[in-house]
Amino acid sequence: MAQPRLRIAETPQPDRLEILRQLERKLLWLASWMIHEANHIRPSRDGLKVGGHQASSASVVTLMTALYFDVLKPEDRIAVKPHAGPVFHAIQYLLGHLDPKLLPTLRTYHGLQSYPSRTKDVDDVDFSTGSVGLGVAVSLFAALVQEYVQLKKLAPADARPGRMVALVGDAELDEGNVFEAMFEGWKKDVRNLWWIIDYNRQSLDAVISDRLFGRIDQLFDAMGWRVVTLKYGKLLGRAFARPGGAALRRWIDECPNSLYSALVFKGGAAWREHLVRDLGNAPGIRALLDEHDDEALGRLMTNLAGHDIETVRDALHAVADDKPTCFIAYTIKGFGLPFAGHKDNHAGLMNQAQMAAFKQSMRIPDGKEWDRFAGLDLPEDMLAQFLREVPFGKRFPRQYAPAKIAVPELEAPTRGRMSTQEGFGRILNEIGRGDTEFARRIVTTSPDVSVSTNLGPWVNRRGVYGRTETSDTFASEQVVSAQRWVVSPKGQHIELGIAEHNLFLLLSALGLSGPLFGARLLPIGTLYDPFIRRGLDALHYACYQDSRFMLVATPSGITLAPEGGAHQSCETTLITLAQPGLAAFEPAFVDELAAIMRWGFEYMQVDDGGSVALRLSTRPVDQPQRAFTPAMRDAVIAGGYWIMPPEANSDLVIAYSGAVAPEAFGAHAAILEDAPGAGLLAITSADRLHDGWIAARRARIAGDARATAHVETLLAPLARDAALITVMDAHPATLSWLGSVAGHRIYPLGVDQFGQSGDIPDLYRAYGIDTDAILDACARAALHSFGR
Ligand SMILES: Cc1ncc(C[n+]2csc(CCOP(=O)(O)OP(=O)(O)O)c2C)c(N)n1
Ligand SMILES: [Mg+2]
């Protein structure tokens, strides 16, 4: 591995460092006051504690001062640990990017969000954070995406590549997803990535294990990262150089995390007592203790590098190459606040008296709490001038809004028997033939299931992406294979190891490539439907960030029959139904699928759009030979259409979704003799139908009396007491809400138990979704309807 090129930082002008120290102080004040105001000054209407994290914020004030006011460039992208949100907002305020009126709105409705939010905060958040570990990992995938668009020259000519930076709470490293991401990053030789660990050795409940740290730096090292440990500040550095200094250093190095934290909290006298007891006889120690009063001793013993702006600044500036770098910055949780180091300080808030003392020590006059410069020691115009010239602040907002990519009609190969999964592979293969801008913007990814989810033909055409070219060894060795595997920067498929969490984080980053890097991508991720569960928090996270992608989940349900229970899914339809920001579809036929995909690529690009999920099947079914009219297309997108419309006042409908279409068709044909007016309803998206229904209800409440949902129109011809037999290879609750739309009776068929291995006839019978089960439900419905 190439040696890092280290650049020696220019010697800082004393006034520049001094200005940074002043801003650091201001940030500590503003973040603390923002939280105080929210909890102790703003009246509470509900008796709930508002919260906010003064200690977590204090812990990173120095790191964030150095980063934002000195080191970062506008093209850098930063994931700020969730509990440092107030510090971030204070920075944007000082840079003139946040209306001061918003400062007292922390945690209010439409105010500053509790944790930095891309979509809800107004001050240019790059990555949302909140669920710990995710912001960290997404920065790694963003680094990969930035390189993807750079190598393909998709980014605007003037877009300079930046560093992807995560400010990491040390407890975030307990989340396995961080290590999954690191491993993938190592495989892909990720570049331009900084993780700055706020190593305060405290999490929420407690002080963390002493055994951890030697391990963490080794882990990073093993993954090819540079590790820069920032442990002691300049004051301690000088003390270590004195007689007795080596003993003092050893003492601190060996001090258990819990004891160190407790002494931080207790202060100078407690440090003295322990040092006298443990080191009193060591030469030089007495003299050192005598020279420091309690306050000065406390300051000395807590002089960790993560609070030493000069050390932090020098270390960050010293990294000038693109090697991924982990900074382990020793800090103190609550540094500078009365509960510094206390193990219970995570949710701790200064009380009124503590705040009054803190305010006095910060020299903030009453009424000047939000002032940008009150209490600082340098002239206002000097500070203002400095802030105007901060490199990071030169561009605002830093997000791009690239033009949309035109989406052509998609060919639907609909002859004979075909599964929706095969149809997906063919549609993509057709797209892959063309040399259109649309085709160039598609990027596929999959966690080791590309071939088994039918991405194979696309990958054959467009190649696998990698920074460096690798030939297909099997091909060069003349081993016959249907699947080419040529890796190059031109490739448009990003292959991941089996870690579904990584899939969703990569999709999250790919789907933000437009706003983050100015290069719009149309990402498609495939996985087996049941393994959505494995990546669920990351899927939610991607949607929360309003990232735009197409998720293709296949195979699905018990219809993957022989694969058995461990691979079957019944609840994923409920997950995608309930997930905001994701429009979920389950087509039965390939012409429907082509219409949905075309619409989906548009929907991924419009402002009020979102991401798209397709639940597909491996079951081959006869494709209908039909004219696919625009009206049919609109109905498919809205969520459903009549295969056989009911007669007026019909009292029976079979409503199906997805792979059970043949059973629904069969049962419908069989009941027509007894119930000639019975309807057969194809549901292509329970999610969109449901959304439309809720939206129409809201519109009516808001005064639009004529608002009508698609599902209401569909069900309008039915008799008041009609029965709907709903059937799908998924949890029956996915469709059973249909009974509430117009007060119809529901006979919900579906899967609500763990599956078994078997073939489709056995399994559909066992779980009650075969033709007989549908007919049986029809019979029971008829008895209820006519028998009384
Ligand atoms: C996935 C997830 N689990 C639990 C939480 C609740 N939680 C919030 S902060 C925190 C501990 C954070 O400690 P650390 O990352 O060290 O941050 P610090 O406050 O010490 O800066 C926990 C458990 C969460 N936000 N996300
Ligand atoms: Mg911590």
Side-chain angles (χ1 to χ4, degrees):
M1 185 141 335
Q3 281 297 312
R5 283 179 292 114
L6 292 184
R7 182 160 61 78
I8 304 302
E10 327 136 25
T11 315
Q13 299 296 313
D15 54 347
R16 191 169 178 82
L17 261 183
E18 192 41 40
I19 290 173
L20 290 174
R21 285 200 186 97
Q22 295 285 308
L23 295 174
E24 176 189 18
R25 184 179 156 91
K26 193 59 168 177
L27 288 183
L28 178 62
W29 164 256
L30 285 173
S32 306
W33 182 255
M34 215 182 283
I35 298 165
H36 184 78
E37 148 84 43
N39 285 275
H40 293 298
I41 297 183
R42 204 162 66 213
S44 164
R45 296 187 301 178
D46 55 12
L48 284 187
K49 180 188 136 182
V50 179
H53 301 83
Q54 288 172 331
S56 303
S57 294
S59 189
V60 278
V61 159
T62 315
L63 296 172
M64 288 179 73
T65 303
L67 271 173
Y68 279 91
F69 292 133
D70 200 46
V71 176
L72 292 178
K73 304 268 168 35
E75 59 270 23
D76 297 331
R77 299 284 168 187
I78 310 96
V80 175
K81 72 166 190 176
H83 303 81
V87 185
F88 173 78
H89 295 308
I91 289 169
Q92 292 293 42
Y93 161 61
L94 290 182
L95 289 173
H97 300 153
L98 183 70
D99 185 340
K101 283 205 235 16
L102 285 170
L103 292 171
T105 68
L106 181 68
R107 299 188 165 212
T108 59
Y109 183 57
H110 283 172
L112 299 177
Q113 300 298 298
S114 318
Y115 309 112
S117 171
R118 273 188 65 75
T119 51
K120 302 204 184 75
D121 278 316
V122 293
D123 47 353
D124 205 33
V125 170
D126 290 328
F127 301 103
S128 301
T129 52
S131 175
V132 301
L134 298 183
V136 186
V138 86
S139 65
L140 182 149
F141 290 102
L144 296 175
V145 172
Q146 176 177 248
E147 185 173 73
Y148 181 95
V149 299
Q150 287 282 336
L151 284 177
K152 289 186 156 58
K153 302 201 182 336
L154 296 174
D158 60 348
R160 290 157 47 109
R163 289 161 298 201
M164 302 298 113
V165 180
L167 267 164
V168 185
D170 47 357
E172 297 197 71
L173 298 178
D174 284 329
E175 291 285 1
N177 81 273
V178 171
F179 299 98
E180 288 183 359
M182 259 171 91
F183 196 48
E184 195 63 51
W186 176 76
K187 287 191 253 174
K188 296 191 163 37
D189 194 17
V190 67
R191 305 266 130 193
N192 284 313
L193 181 63
W194 285 8
W195 286 357
I196 304 174
I197 301 174
D198 172 13
Y199 186 40
N200 59 26
R201 303 165 311 287
Q202 280 188 251
S203 55
L204 195 161
D205 285 337
V207 176
I208 63 170
S209 160
D210 295 308
R211 285 167 54 82
L212 207 54
F213 243 66
R215 293 292 144 209
I216 301 269
D217 47 8
Q218 284 174 31
L219 259 162
F220 277 93
D221 190 56
M223 293 290 168
W225 291 56
R226 172 193 298 120
V227 179
V228 178
T229 302
L230 304 174
K231 192 162 184 181
Y232 296 117
K234 301 258 186 265
L235 278 182
L236 270 174
R238 282 197 286 276
F240 294 154
R242 294 171 46 135
L248 180 67
R249 182 180 192 126
R250 204 170 326 111
W251 187 89
I252 305 186
D253 278 343
E254 287 170 4
C255 183
N257 288 339
S258 300
L259 177 61
Y260 186 86
S261 293
L263 294 178
V264 167
F265 177 72
K266 288 174 78 177
W271 287 113
R272 190 177 304 279
E273 188 189 322
H274 276 264
L275 288 172
V276 167
R277 193 167 63 211
D278 296 346
L279 293 182
N281 296 329
I285 292 293
R286 285 277 175 191
L288 186 118
L289 291 177
D290 290 346
E291 281 168 35
H292 290 77
D293 64 13
D294 282 353
E295 203 192 321
L297 186 61
R299 211 169 25 247
L300 175 69
M301 296 301 286
T302 56
N303 178 239
L304 300 185
H307 298 301
D308 185 330
I309 190 101
E310 194 178 348
T311 308
V312 169
R313 182 185 176 278
D314 286 353
L316 297 176
H317 276 300
V319 175
D321 60 8
D322 63 0
K323 181 170 175 156
T325 300
C326 163
F327 299 90
I328 302 176
Y330 278 68
T331 55
I332 289 169
K333 191 156 170 173
F335 188 70
L337 305 182
F339 37 56
H342 196 293
K343 73 177 176 55
D344 304 335
N345 65 9
H346 183 76
L349 295 170
M350 279 184 264
N351 61 28
Q352 296 283 22
Q354 287 170 322
M355 179 47 88
F358 180 58
K359 187 173 166 187
Q360 198 177 20
S361 74
M362 287 275 161
R363 298 198 303 278
I364 307 290
D366 284 345
K368 294 272 188 190
E369 290 85 355
W370 298 121
D371 195 279
R372 284 168 91 207
F373 305 117
L376 302 186
D377 299 326
L378 292 175
E380 285 197 21
D381 50 354
M382 178 195 258
L383 294 166
Q385 171 73 12
F386 178 91
L387 287 169
R388 273 194 297 278
E389 282 171 13
V390 164
F392 177 79
K394 289 282 179 190
R395 214 167 74 215
F396 181 85
R398 293 147 51 252
Q399 310 280 327
Y400 298 88
K404 299 191 177 52
I405 308 297
V407 183
E409 288 296 334
L410 302 183
E411 296 259 332
T414 57
R415 304 200 77 75
R417 280 161 77 79
M418 199 186 297
S419 68
T420 46
Q421 175 177 314
E422 184 185 345
F424 164 71
R426 289 184 177 223
I427 291 169
L428 212 51
N429 185 36
E430 279 306 314
I431 297 173
R433 274 180 206 282
D435 188 25
T436 59
E437 189 58 17
F438 169 65
R440 270 196 293 278
R441 296 293 172 139
I442 290 181
V443 49
T444 58
T445 180
S446 186
D448 202 27
V449 289
S450 302
V451 176
S452 47
T453 56
N454 245 304
L455 280 179
W458 163 266
V459 177
N460 269 345
R461 282 197 190 284
R462 311 298 293 203
V464 179
Y465 169 75
R467 185 188 301 127
T468 44
E469 305 229 359
T470 324
S471 60
D472 182 343
T473 310
F474 278 74
S476 51
E477 290 294 324
Q478 293 168 354
V479 178
V480 177
S481 163
Q483 191 62 55
R484 280 165 14 101
W485 206 260
V486 183
V487 180
S488 84
K490 292 203 193 80
Q492 280 179 255
H493 170 75
I494 304 179
E495 180 73 1
L496 293 169
I498 327 170
E500 285 72 14
H501 227 279
N502 281 344
L503 170 74
F504 289 115
L505 287 168
L506 176 57
L507 285 175
S508 190
L510 287 167
L512 291 175
S513 171
L516 291 181
F517 307 122
R520 194 182 281 279
L521 295 175
L522 297 168
I524 301 176
T526 68
L527 85 173
Y528 295 175
D529 188 54
F531 303 129
I532 283 182
R533 299 180 201 116
R534 183 70 78 105
L536 209 46
D537 198 26
L539 168 61
H540 178 83
Y541 177 64
C543 294
Y544 181 66
Q545 304 216 71
D546 199 24
S547 169
R548 303 297 180 81
F549 51 88
M550 186 178 283
L551 179 67
V552 180
T554 180
S556 57
I558 60 170
T559 305
L560 53 75
E563 288 281 340
H567 278 32
Q568 292 163 353
S569 55
C570 64
E571 79 287 34
T572 47
T573 51
L574 293 173
I575 291 168
T576 53
L577 177 82
Q579 177 63 55
L582 190 67
F585 292 85
E586 182 157 0
F589 302 114
V590 177
D591 53 3
E592 299 167 353
L593 173 65
I596 293 166
M597 286 177 68
R598 178 175 198 278
W599 174 86
F601 288 124
E602 305 256 8
Y603 186 67
M604 284 154 64
Q605 302 191 61
V606 292
D607 288 346
D608 58 351
S611 288
V612 179
L614 310 178
R615 189 174 191 251
L616 304 184
S617 172
T618 36
R619 182 186 192 190
V621 295
D622 289 328
Q623 297 297 311
Q625 301 305 304
R626 57 187 177 183
F628 200 78
T629 62
M632 197 187 237
R633 182 198 59 210
D634 292 347
V636 163
I637 301 307
Y641 66 99
W642 289 108
I643 301 279
M644 173 73 83
E647 282 179 3
N649 276 321
S650 170
D651 56 15
L652 186 63
V653 165
I654 297 172
Y656 75 91
S657 192
V660 295
E663 284 66 29
F665 277 62
H668 183 257
I671 54 158
L672 276 183
E673 202 172 307
D674 292 333
L680 178 60
L681 181 61
I683 297 195
T684 45
S685 172
D687 181 28
R688 297 268 300 163
L689 274 188
H690 189 270
D691 273 3
W693 176 47
I694 300 292
R697 293 174 66 105
R698 289 197 180 126
R700 289 195 291 263
I701 291 167
D704 178 2
R706 290 197 309 201
T708 310
H710 182 59
V711 67
E712 290 168 333
T713 308
L714 286 172
L715 300 183
L718 300 178
R720 179 75 189 78
D721 64 347
L724 309 183
I725 316 300
T726 57
V727 57
M728 74 187 297
D729 176 7
H731 197 281
T734 315
L735 295 179
S736 59
W737 59 271
L738 284 169
S740 298
V741 173
H744 294 132
R745 288 177 294 133
I746 284 284
Y747 291 78
L749 307 182
V751 182
D752 60 353
Q753 305 285 323
F754 292 117
Q756 310 257 1
S757 296
D759 63 5
I760 287 180
D762 273 348
L763 293 185
Y764 278 20
R765 192 177 63 250
Y767 292 90
I769 55 173
D770 63 351
T771 306
D772 284 349
I774 300 171
L775 288 173
D776 183 58
C778 292
R780 280 182 290 116
L783 277 178
H784 181 71
S785 175
F786 305 119
R788 287 193 289 165

